[in-house]
């Protein structure tokens, strides 16, 4: 079969179109070098099949597809790392907030206030008849009880604030899920009509990265290009349908899990220990106070009232009349400070636990130490996952990121090929001109 004289012109035309498309793709990469979530694209060229018949050369080149450069495995690792980082960052933020609540070490911390309370009793033991010293005991006790109540309220407020934050994040997760479902629809529609949907997929992956910060997600891609997203065992996005989650649902990883752990585990644990300390203080001080007598020789009353840290308070009867403080023991007379001394010695007595295993100072110190260690642990874990995420992001950028130097090199290659194809058109034009306009005029 004879080869058409115009075949070479068609080959040149295909080369021009292919190189021009490759240049356009390269320009698109350069334009989006700083676009968040953008994945580098590449025009995949393939040789077109040769004409039928023996010894026929090829017919040129075409762009088979515009490939979106990505590594699915790295993307999955990044999402898991973002979920772990979000969880420990949320825990760390809450633990640091708790450290601000306890205010240790400081002059306004509970430890310093307990010390001043015991000192007031110690001073009263040296002058049980001094009205000023009796008033000082009431004042220091009132301040201490108020500190317990303030910490308890601040823990409750921190828990309420966390719930508000959780509700906000759940709303954000639902909004992101709806965005992913809409992009699923657009991607399938674009694929059906033959559009390049790479940019839409970039937007969808960016939403997945944002979603992974809040919850740990599992992503499954369908042959049609859609993705299904699950949170734990619950489906969040199925094709073009987004399902709403609520704050009472089960969450795995991400900031929401970290906040839920803080609200349901961390804060209640410290609230319980604070109540245990307040209850132990009330019981031991009340027992010792009732073992003594006041200035009038009457039996000692309950010094503290309340059921825990939130409502711990000094007995109103003592506030109204400090002479009712039972600073003396019944055997020594109303003016003696022996019971006040016994009260001061409770500072170092084993008082917390059944049977008692720790003093007030040691028990409270263990609370603060545990809080500090938990904060350090969460901070270190967040730093570790932040470093892991940075390394994974570098691996992603090596595959998907836009390198301006590399794109400029590709641009030079495609431009040279385009110029050569243009020259081929000129050569074919000259050949056809010779064939059509000059053949048969030799010798005339």
């Amino acid at each position: 079969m004879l080869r058409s004289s115009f075949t070479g012109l068609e080959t040149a035309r295909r080369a021009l179109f292919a190189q021009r498309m490759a240049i356009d793709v390269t320009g698109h990469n350069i334009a989006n070098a700083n676009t968040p979530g953008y994945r580098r694209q590449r025009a995949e060229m393939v040789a077109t099949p040769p004409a039928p018949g023996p010894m026929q050369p090829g017919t040129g080149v075409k762009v088979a597809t515009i490939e979106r450069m990505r590594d699915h495995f790295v993307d999955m690792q990044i999402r898991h790392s973002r979920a772990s980082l979000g969880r420990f960052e949320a825990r760390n933020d809450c633990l640091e907030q708790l450290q601000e609540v306890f205010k240790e070490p400081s002059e306004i911390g509970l430890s310093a206030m307990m010390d001043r309370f015991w000192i007031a009793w110690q001073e009263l033991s040296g002058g049980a008849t001094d009205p000023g010293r009796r008033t000082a005991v009431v004042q220091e006790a009132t301040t201490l009880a108020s500190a317990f109540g303030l910490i308890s309220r601040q823990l409750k407020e921190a828990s309420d604030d966390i719930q508000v934050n959780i509700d906000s994040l759940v709303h954000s997760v639902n909004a992101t899920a709806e965005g992913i479902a809409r992009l699923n629809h657009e991607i399938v529609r674009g694929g059906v009509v033959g559009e390049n949907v790479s940019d839409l997929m970039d937007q969808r992956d960016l939403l997945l990265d944002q979603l992974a910060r809040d919850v740990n997600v599992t992503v499954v891609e369908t042959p049609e290009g859609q993705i299904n997203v699950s949170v734990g065992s619950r489906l969040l996005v199925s094709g073009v349908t987004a399902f709403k989650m609520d704050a009472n649902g089960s969450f795995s990883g991400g900031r929401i899990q970290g906040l839920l752990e803080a609200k349901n585990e961390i804060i209640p644990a410290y609230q319980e220990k604070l109540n245990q300390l307040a209850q132990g203080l009330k019981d031991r001080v009340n027992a010792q106070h009732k073992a003594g007598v006041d200035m009038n020789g009457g039996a000692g009353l309950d010094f503290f009232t309340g059921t825990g840290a939130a409502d711990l308070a000094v007995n109103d009867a003592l506030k109204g009349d400090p002479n009712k403080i039972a600073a003396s023991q019944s055997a020594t007379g109303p003016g003696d400070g022996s019971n006040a001394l016994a009260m001061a010695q409770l500072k170092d007595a084993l008082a917390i636990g059944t049977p008692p295993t720790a003093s007030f100072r040691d028990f409270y110190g263990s609370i603060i130490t545990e809080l500090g260690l938990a904060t350090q642990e969460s901070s270190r874990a967040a730093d570790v996952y932040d470093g892991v995420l940075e390394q994974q992001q570098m691996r992603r950028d090596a595959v998907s990121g836009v390198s301006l130097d590399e794109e400029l090199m590709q641009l030079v290659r495609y431009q040279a090929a385009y110029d050569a194809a243009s020259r081929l058109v000129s050569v074919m034009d000259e050949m056809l001109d010779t064939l059509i306009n000059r053949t048969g005029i030799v010798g005339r």
Side-chain angles (χ1 to χ4, degrees):
M1 172 182 275
L2 293 177
R3 182 176 176 85
S4 170
S5 300
F6 293 93
T7 301
L9 200 58
E10 176 63 17
T11 299
R13 183 191 69 81
R14 289 174 177 168
L16 287 171
F17 283 6
Q19 304 306 325
R20 174 57 188 272
M21 182 173 290
I23 290 173
D24 290 341
V25 171
T26 303
H28 188 57
N29 289 339
I30 294 173
N32 288 278
N34 296 314
T35 301
Y38 179 78
R39 307 294 182 93
R40 178 167 58 95
Q41 299 176 20
R42 183 173 62 193
E44 291 292 332
M45 299 185 189
V46 296
T48 53
M55 301 299 291
Q56 293 290 340
T59 57
V61 66
K62 69 175 181 179
V63 175
T65 183
I66 297 177
E67 183 179 3
R68 178 169 172 261
M69 309 302 293
R70 65 175 299 204
D71 187 324
H72 293 270
F73 180 68
V74 172
D75 288 345
M76 179 185 67
Q77 288 183 317
I78 286 176
R79 286 193 289 267
H80 289 326
S81 295
R82 287 179 69 87
S84 297
L85 175 62
R87 174 194 174 196
F88 284 106
E89 282 182 338
R91 284 174 61 96
N92 189 59
D93 289 344
C94 294
L95 289 167
E96 288 180 346
Q97 184 179 355
L98 293 186
Q99 287 186 322
E100 292 296 323
V101 168
F102 283 98
K103 300 180 181 65
E104 297 291 351
S106 72
E107 288 299 314
I108 58 175
L110 197 59
S111 178
M113 292 184 181
M114 284 194 293
D115 286 343
R116 290 196 292 269
F117 174 69
W118 301 123
I119 290 172
W121 281 107
Q122 182 72 40
E123 292 177 347
L124 181 61
S125 69
T129 60
D130 186 348
R133 297 187 184 188
R134 288 177 171 270
T135 300
V137 168
V138 173
Q139 290 176 341
E140 293 297 342
T142 301
T143 301
L144 177 59
S146 297
F148 272 101
L150 177 62
I151 294 175
S152 181
R153 288 193 301 274
Q154 288 180 325
L155 290 176
K156 174 68 166 55
E157 290 169 358
S159 180
D160 293 340
D161 291 342
I162 288 174
Q163 184 61 53
V164 172
N165 200 358
I166 291 172
D167 293 339
S168 176
L169 289 178
V170 170
H171 177 75
S172 176
V173 165
N174 290 333
T176 302
E178 291 176 357
I180 292 173
R182 285 194 299 269
L183 286 170
N184 273 344
H185 173 74
E186 291 298 320
I187 287 168
V188 172
R189 183 200 60 78
V192 170
V193 299
E195 294 178 354
N196 179 16
V197 295
S198 295
D199 291 341
L200 294 176
M201 290 183 173
D202 290 344
Q203 296 175 28
R204 189 177 64 184
D205 281 353
L206 184 61
L207 289 180
L208 281 174
D209 285 348
Q210 295 172 357
L211 188 64
R213 182 80 178 276
D214 297 331
V215 289
N216 191 16
V217 295
T218 301
V219 180
V220 177
E221 189 166 349
T222 67
E224 296 80 16
Q226 294 181 339
I227 59 171
N228 298 327
V229 183
S230 300
V231 177
S233 60
R234 183 172 178 178
L235 201 59
L236 182 62
V237 178
S238 177
V240 298
T241 304
F243 301 95
K244 290 189 176 296
M245 303 194 74
D246 57 68
N248 297 321
S250 59
F251 296 90
S252 172
R255 289 187 293 179
I256 293 180
Q257 183 184 359
L259 292 174
L260 285 172
E261 289 173 347
K263 180 180 184 297
N264 298 330
E265 300 172 19
I266 296 175
I267 291 180
Y270 286 105
Q271 183 73 69
E272 175 61 29
K273 290 180 179 180
L274 186 69
N275 286 334
Q276 189 176 356
L277 177 63
Q279 187 67 41
L281 180 68
K282 186 193 78 168
D283 291 345
R284 290 303 301 270
V285 169
N286 284 353
Q288 188 64 50
H289 193 254
K290 288 192 289 186
V293 296
D294 59 23
M295 283 290 293
N296 301 317
L301 307 173
D302 281 338
F303 190 88
F304 285 118
T305 61
T307 58
D311 60 351
L312 184 68
V314 178
N315 194 325
D316 288 339
L318 301 179
K319 288 182 180 180
D321 184 5
N323 285 330
K324 291 185 178 180
I325 295 177
S328 305
Q329 293 181 348
S330 58
T332 58
D336 180 70
S338 56
N339 198 49
L341 179 61
M343 190 76 78
Q345 292 172 344
L346 290 178
K347 172 183 177 181
D348 299 315
L350 298 180
I352 305 297
T354 307
T357 57
S359 66
F360 299 115
R361 172 187 289 272
D362 291 342
F363 183 78
Y364 182 67
S366 69
I367 295 176
I368 301 304
T369 300
E370 180 184 338
L371 177 59
L373 291 175
T375 305
Q376 291 179 4
E377 180 183 356
S378 292
S379 178
R380 283 195 298 265
D383 290 341
V384 168
Y385 280 108
D386 187 49
V388 170
L389 183 61
E390 183 178 355
Q391 292 295 321
Q392 292 169 342
Q393 188 63 52
M394 291 174 61
R395 290 172 56 193
R396 172 191 275 180
D397 291 342
V399 176
S400 304
V402 176
S403 168
L404 292 178
D405 292 337
E406 182 180 348
E407 296 303 320
L408 289 175
M409 291 175 59
Q410 295 283 22
L411 193 61
V412 171
R413 288 179 53 202
Y414 297 140
Q415 181 185 9
Y418 187 88
D419 291 343
S422 299
R423 178 57 182 161
L424 178 59
V425 172
S426 298
V427 170
M428 294 303 302
D429 180 62
E430 292 175 4
M431 291 172 59
L432 290 172
D433 179 63
T434 299
L435 178 64
I436 295 171
N437 297 320
R438 298 178 182 275
T439 300
I441 65 172
V442 177
R444 291 185 183 179

